[in-house]
Amino acid sequence: MVAMKGALPHTAPLFMASLRLIPAGAVVLLAGVWLKRPQAIPGWGWFWLALFALVDGTLFQGFLALGLERTGAGLGSVMIDSQPLAVAVMARGLFGEEIGTLGWIGLLWGILGISLLGLPDQWIMALFQGQVDGLRDADLVTQLWQGGEGLMILAALSMATGTILIRYVCRQIDPVVATGWHMILGGIPLYLLSLLWEPHPWQELSVMDWGAIAYSTLFGSALAYGIFFSLAAQGNLTSLSALTFLTPVFALLFGNLFLAERLTPLQWLGVGFTLVSIYRSEEHTSELQSPCNLVCR
């Protein structure tokens, strides 16, 4: 997130999103061949793969890049990693996954945290002061979307939906192969949209910017999936799930160090609520996160 945010001022979001997906997908597919993973994809497998690519590739990375252009890397990472909250709710409805009393408390805690992060401070203060009329200000609605928080919430929902879809995908396709193809298929629409709407997005990129993009592509996408697969294959699912809790912590730290990002007191309060809720949700959804799911996240 920090590497992408550092390069975004010199390029365009959809172009960067496509670069994060397509080359990484090719690397993962080559790794799948080298590891001798089954390459066969049946007819219905292509349907689920295309749907997964659209949701977890095109929509997730598209909303992420567009939202990151307008918000901070640390704040954006916290909002993105709130997706286990949505996963828990969808898994409850689709698969009958138990959440439990503590789980529901964690979800409500997370909703409060995301509200403190994403809603304009004026809305929060108006609620505290009982000034309901202040919530009707159309300018504040515009501010929510222009600030990028609304796009980050859409990205988190897209990722959560992809987490649910991968259970169907991996019934048909090897997880490594599915990961690679969903990156390539999901990145192609983003690249085509970039060609239409973002003229020459590479012209102002410096050597440092290309390095940041290469890092987010090779390390943030391709290598990260490989590490997930290696750890998940050993059966350390609970430990691996808990470690994802650290992602927004590192993003907040490095965003502060390298990008001088600052959060308001209300946003820091929201960060605290959200991180606690994410941790609780990760514990309650660890069974849903199979090796296949962890790879494709």
Side-chain angles (χ1 to χ4, degrees):
M1 295 287 283
V2 176
M4 292 174 65
K5 180 66 176 180
L8 265 175
H10 307 135
T11 185
L14 297 180
F15 177 71
M16 174 173 284
S18 68
L19 285 184
R20 185 176 180 188
L21 285 176
I22 298 175
V27 170
V28 171
L29 286 179
L30 290 174
V33 173
W34 182 67
L35 294 171
K36 298 181 179 180
R37 308 294 301 184
Q39 302 292 316
I41 302 178
W44 275 106
W46 282 109
F47 166 78
W48 288 112
L49 182 59
L51 184 59
F52 178 53
L54 173 64
V55 174
D56 196 66
T58 305
L59 294 181
F60 168 51
Q61 290 294 339
F63 286 138
L64 169 62
L66 290 169
L68 187 60
E69 186 181 33
R70 307 173 190 183
T71 191
L75 176 59
S77 180
V78 174
M79 300 190 75
I80 289 296
D81 275 6
S82 69
Q83 58 89 24
L85 311 179
V87 169
V89 173
M90 288 189 283
R92 177 70 177 86
L94 293 173
F95 306 126
E97 297 280 345
E98 282 297 328
I99 296 178
T101 303
L102 289 178
W104 284 113
I105 293 174
L107 289 175
L108 294 175
W109 198 256
I111 292 172
L112 176 60
I114 292 298
S115 299
L116 291 174
L117 285 172
L119 294 178
D121 286 358
Q122 297 95 316
W123 280 20
I124 303 298
M125 298 309 297
L127 284 173
F128 284 160
Q129 298 171 5
Q131 299 174 357
V132 182
D133 291 340
L135 304 181
R136 300 172 184 173
D137 190 344
D139 291 338
L140 294 180
V141 178
T142 303
Q143 178 184 341
L144 175 64
W145 291 101
Q146 288 180 345
E149 288 86 354
L151 291 167
M152 285 298 186
I153 292 175
L154 290 177
L157 291 175
S158 299
M159 184 178 179
T161 305
T163 301
I164 297 296
L165 285 174
I166 195 58
R167 173 169 284 189
Y168 299 98
V169 174
C170 288
R171 292 173 181 173
Q172 309 272 340
I173 311 170
D174 177 82
V176 177
V177 175
T179 300
W181 276 115
H182 110 279
M183 287 179 167
I184 294 176
L185 295 177
I188 290 174
L190 293 170
Y191 182 71
L192 294 177
L193 290 173
S194 176
L195 289 177
L196 290 174
W197 296 339
E198 300 172 342
H200 310 297
W202 57 84
Q203 285 186 338
E204 298 183 10
L205 287 170
S206 66
V207 175
M208 289 290 293
D209 294 331
W210 281 113
I213 293 174
Y215 175 86
S216 63
T217 299
L218 297 177
F219 289 86
S221 295
L223 183 61
Y225 290 135
I227 293 174
F228 267 126
F229 175 74
S230 299
L231 295 178
Q234 299 172 18
N236 299 324
L237 299 183
T238 302
S239 300
L240 184 59
S241 177
L243 284 175
T244 62
F245 172 68
L246 296 175
T247 305
V249 176
F250 284 122
L252 287 166
L253 173 63
F254 293 132
N256 182 277
L257 290 177
F258 295 112
L259 303 176
E261 293 180 352
R262 300 290 186 270
L263 300 183
T264 67
L266 280 177
Q267 287 176 328
W268 275 118
L269 183 62
V271 166
F273 286 177
T274 305
L275 292 181
V276 170
S277 179
I278 291 170
Y279 180 72
R280 297 300 305 170
S281 296
E282 290 282 6
E283 286 185 334
H284 283 277
T285 58
S286 60
E287 292 184 1
L288 177 65
Q289 295 177 347
S290 64
C292 174
N293 182 12
L294 288 169
V295 169
C296 294
R297 280 182 58 191

